Amino acid sequence: MKKMQLLQLCAFFHVTVCSQIEEVAISPPGNEVFVLAGSAFQFTCACVGSCKTPQFSWTRATTDSDRMRTKNSTLKFSNVKIEDAGRYTCDAKCDGSSEKKLKSVKMTVYAFSQPVLVMPSILTENVACDVTCSVDAFDHVDSVHISWYLGSELLKDETQQTLDAANVSDTLTLTALRDYTGKSLTCEVKADMRNNSKQVSYCLDIHYAPKINISASSSGMEEEEVVMSCRSDGNPTPTIEWERKGELWPKNLHRHKQGNVTGRLHRSNQGVYQCVAKNVVSEAKEEMKLEVQYGPANTSIQSFPLQAISYGVQLNLTCLSDMYPKAKQYIWTRIPDMALPKEAMVTNSHLIIDNFQEHHQGIYECRVIHHSGNTERAFYTASVQAEPESKVFTQMVGAVAGSLVSGITGGIVAGFMLAKWLK
């Protein structure tokens, strides 16, 4: 009997010891905890000891009406307010035990406004500008730490004392680069270097001037298809327009969106063309000269003298052709299968024979060779024109008359000389 009682007493003593709470701990630790107004926050109460089923209650140091019981160990605030500040006590006891353990913590609520960024409406490449981050409405804040970030890169750190100031601000001088486009510029504000912070960010869009790149052939043959392309990388995206410098735009060339020109070339299209790209930053222009090659066409041979060729005159032949650019080569020959006379002097499009004779007669050919490889020929027949019969007859009559006159004159002179001698 005594042995049984002793065993029961030991069991009771064991349960009591095993159900004790040695200490209560609150997380986050510390006698005073600073919490940012507007944030979500919670206290967690835990017991150290052998108690397996502890019960918790939280009490605010104002009235018992603020007592809160929770089945778990947390006291939660979804949106901390200034009026939530105060001292909170967690008491814990084991189930079936009247003994309590207490732990208190002071919650101080600090506050400052959401930071505001003031910056230019347009950021232009390589132009320095000031960006200001400001914050106000302080409560339980002695100093403000302002940090500037470009993406994840820290640009600047600045600590400012609030004292009795109604507003604290910091200015960052930023020289914009086009690579910043799409990156976030962030101002982060911390009070007294505590963990909680407020941020304001702005996604950068850097404007920069257009830069033109023309892709087009500077020359082409008449009737060929032409494509002229103009591109620009400005921001905002520039408008692109083609112009013909000093002249109206040709009807056979078609301007399209995105800076393309297409059409079939005509010799009248030759000239200077200009691509113009514009955005809010500036205007860019770039020129190109378009050459339209054509010919040879309408090839002919011009002669001097223009009338009939006589023996002994100078014959000057010039080969003419409608083309651009000038001919690559002129080839003179005499046909059929006859070499040029050795007296013929050839200089490009000119052929000259100084003393035209019968053996110079023949059909002269000029072959024009264009840079494109196109060729065209022209022919000229060089021959001495026979004198008309009427002209021959007139010459004979003149000769006879001349002879008669010469005879009569000679007789008179001879008679006069004879009479004088007879005297």
Side-chain angles (χ1 to χ4, degrees), residues 201-340:
S201 296
Y202 181 83
C203 186
L204 299 177
D205 183 25
I206 310 303
H207 290 191
Y208 52 91
K211 185 177 180 181
I212 290 175
N213 179 33
I214 290 179
S215 174
S217 176
S218 60
S219 66
M221 287 298 296
E222 189 172 39
E223 295 301 320
E224 282 184 353
E225 284 287 340
V226 65
V227 177
M228 299 189 297
S229 178
C230 181
R231 297 289 181 267
S232 179
D233 64 346
N235 185 38
T237 302
T239 59
I240 298 176
E241 210 171 275
W242 278 95
E243 299 173 352
R244 189 177 186 184
K245 199 169 182 182
E247 298 184 64
L248 294 176
W249 187 263
K251 293 181 179 179
N252 63 304
L253 298 182
H254 309 292
R255 291 176 283 193
H256 305 279
K257 293 181 179 179
Q258 309 303 324
N260 291 327
V261 173
T262 61
R264 194 177 293 276
L265 286 174
H266 186 268
R267 65 189 65 182
S268 63
N269 300 150
Q270 187 155 290
V272 177
Y273 292 80
Q274 182 172 256
C275 175
V276 182
K278 300 178 184 177
N279 66 9
V280 296
V281 180
S282 70
E283 175 180 289
K285 297 180 180 181
E286 188 165 326
E287 296 178 358
M288 65 161 285
K289 185 177 180 181
L290 177 64
E291 291 187 344
V292 181
Q293 299 184 18
Y294 55 88
N298 305 316
T299 303
S300 63
I301 296 176
Q302 184 182 70
S303 68
F304 184 83
L306 299 177
Q307 304 301 324
I309 303 173
S310 301
Y311 290 123
V313 302
Q314 183 189 71
L315 178 64
N316 191 332
L317 301 181
T318 302
C319 191
L320 304 175
S321 187
D322 186 14
M323 67 183 127
Y324 181 85
K326 293 180 180 179
K328 180 180 179 181
Q329 187 179 11
Y330 292 90
I331 298 178
W332 287 93
T333 56
R334 189 169 56 155
I335 59 176
D337 301 325
M338 292 164 51
L340 288 174

Side-chain angles (χ1 to χ4, degrees), residues 53 61 79 93 101 110 112 125 130 163 170 194 199 225 270 274 336 339 341 364 367 386 401 408 416-417:
T53 56
N79 185 7
K93 68 174 183 175
K101 291 287 185 178
Y110 67 98
F112 57 92
E125 183 182 32
D130 288 339
L163 301 176
D170 186 57
R194 299 182 182 114
Q199 297 180 347
E225 284 287 340
Q270 187 155 290
Q274 182 172 256
Y364 287 80
R367 181 156 59 102
I408 293 172
F416 179 77
M417 294 285 292

Side-chain angles (χ1 to χ4, degrees), residues 27-302:
S27 177
N31 294 324
E32 183 177 13
V33 175
F34 291 87
V35 182
L36 178 63
S39 65
F41 182 76
Q42 72 176 31
F43 286 116
T44 300
C45 189
C47 62
V48 179
S50 57
C51 182
K52 295 181 179 180
T53 56
Q55 292 182 350
F56 301 95
S57 64
W58 285 91
T59 306
R60 190 176 179 182
T62 52
T63 63
D64 284 344
S65 61
D66 289 328
R67 178 179 293 272
M68 295 162 279
R69 287 190 177 275
T70 58
K71 292 183 180 180
N72 53 32
S73 58
T74 58
L75 176 62
K76 294 183 179 181
F77 301 85
S78 59
N79 185 7
V80 177
K81 299 179 175 58
I82 295 293
E83 53 268 27
D84 290 332
R87 182 168 291 278
Y88 292 85
T89 301
C90 171
D91 62 75
K93 68 174 183 175
C94 248
D95 194 15
S97 173
S98 59
E99 184 181 2
K100 294 181 180 180
K101 291 287 185 178
L102 305 177
K103 181 70 174 179
S104 296
V105 62
K106 180 182 179 182
M107 183 171 77
T108 299
V109 179
Y110 67 98
F112 57 92
S113 66
Q114 178 68 21
V116 175
L117 274 182
V118 178
M119 60 193 310
S121 57
I122 294 178
L123 298 175
T124 304
E125 183 182 32
N126 296 326
V127 176
C129 63
D130 288 339
V131 183
T132 301
C133 180
S134 61
V135 62
D136 53 20
F138 303 106
D139 199 344
H140 288 91
V141 174
D142 295 325
S143 64
V144 171
H145 188 81
I146 299 176
S147 301
W148 292 91
Y149 294 89
L150 179 63
S152 59
E153 178 188 358
L154 178 64
L155 298 180
K156 182 183 178 184
D157 257 345
E158 187 73 23
T159 299
Q160 306 228 3
Q161 301 297 321
T162 62
L163 301 176
D164 295 328
N167 177 280
V168 169
S169 64
D170 186 57
T171 299
L172 173 73
T173 299
L174 181 70
T175 300
L177 302 177
R178 67 177 66 185
D179 293 342
Y180 293 171
T181 297
K183 293 184 178 180
S184 291
L185 179 66
T186 301
C187 171
E188 181 184 62
V189 179
K190 289 183 179 181
D192 299 324
M193 294 302 292
R194 299 182 182 114
N195 290 329
N196 288 323
S197 65
K198 292 186 179 181
Q199 297 180 347
V200 59
S201 296
Y202 181 83
C203 186
L204 299 177
D205 183 25
I206 310 303
H207 290 191
Y208 52 91
K211 185 177 180 181
I212 290 175
N213 179 33
I214 290 179
S215 174
S217 176
S218 60
S219 66
M221 287 298 296
E222 189 172 39
E223 295 301 320
E224 282 184 353
E225 284 287 340
V226 65
V227 177
M228 299 189 297
S229 178
C230 181
R231 297 289 181 267
S232 179
D233 64 346
N235 185 38
T237 302
T239 59
I240 298 176
E241 210 171 275
W242 278 95
E243 299 173 352
R244 189 177 186 184
K245 199 169 182 182
E247 298 184 64
L248 294 176
W249 187 263
K251 293 181 179 179
N252 63 304
L253 298 182
H254 309 292
R255 291 176 283 193
H256 305 279
K257 293 181 179 179
Q258 309 303 324
N260 291 327
V261 173
T262 61
R264 194 177 293 276
L265 286 174
H266 186 268
R267 65 189 65 182
S268 63
N269 300 150
Q270 187 155 290
V272 177
Y273 292 80
Q274 182 172 256
C275 175
V276 182
K278 300 178 184 177
N279 66 9
V280 296
V281 180
S282 70
E283 175 180 289
K285 297 180 180 181
E286 188 165 326
E287 296 178 358
M288 65 161 285
K289 185 177 180 181
L290 177 64
E291 291 187 344
V292 181
Q293 299 184 18
Y294 55 88
N298 305 316
T299 303
S300 63
I301 296 176
Q302 184 182 70

